[in-house]
Amino acid sequence: MANRYGEGALMAARQRSSADTNPVARWESAMSTLYPTSPTARKKGSPREAFLGLCEEGLVKGIPAGHYAASADNKAYAVRAVALLTEGTQRWSTSTLWRAVENDPERMHNGQMDIVLALWKNDLIVRKP
């Protein structure tokens, strides 16, 4: 089971409204549902930007590639993590995946890998050849 941010990514990816393919609106809606009384949790940047970064690259099923204002760093972490998962050479946990993506042993992941793994495990990542 994914953590709450992973659950939020799943909710956002699975929203099926023909009028609303905007991943920013999807993310905000999911966060409002999961964190109705915590504005701080709703606005946490790293998971949001990892999700939007994957969307920008067209890696989330059902969401077209586009510009969704993801930070370059969090987007890069998420996209690199997807590339590692796609290689299929090993099983990854959030911590081992983070260590493979970020070479600084002092930095801790901040929800980015939860987003990637939740989407991956639920077959919501576009697997490009």
Side-chain angles (χ1 to χ4, degrees):
M1 178 179 232
N3 75 357
R4 296 211 56 197
Y5 289 107
E7 289 296 321
L10 296 176
M11 291 170 64
R14 290 176 174 153
Q15 285 181 16
R16 296 288 179 227
S17 170
S18 60
D20 188 17
T21 58
N22 182 333
V24 175
R26 289 179 176 208
W27 180 262
E28 289 172 2
S29 173
M31 290 299 101
S32 292
T33 299
L34 290 172
Y35 296 104
T37 61
S38 179
T40 303
R42 284 195 305 268
K43 294 181 189 285
K44 186 173 178 178
S46 297
R48 176 185 185 275
E49 293 163 357
F51 177 75
L52 294 178
L54 294 174
C55 293
E56 281 189 349
E57 292 299 310
L59 291 172
V60 178
K61 289 182 179 178
I63 298 176
H67 181 69
Y68 304 117
S71 81
D73 288 343
N74 289 308
K75 175 182 175 177
Y77 296 145
V79 170
R80 174 71 180 130
V82 167
L84 290 169
L85 290 167
T86 302
E87 289 174 6
T89 58
Q90 72 182 71
R91 295 182 67 79
W92 298 95
S93 68
T94 55
S95 59
T96 59
L97 190 55
W98 176 249
R99 287 291 154 241
V101 168
E102 171 57 57
N103 293 324
D104 182 353
E106 299 298 315
R107 285 188 86 170
M108 300 298 291
H109 87 93
N110 199 12
Q112 303 97 323
M113 299 303 102
D114 296 312
I115 300 302
V116 173
L117 286 171
L119 293 169
W120 180 262
K121 290 177 181 177
N122 287 275
D123 196 32
L124 291 168
I125 295 287
V126 174
R127 299 177 193 214
K128 296 183 178 181

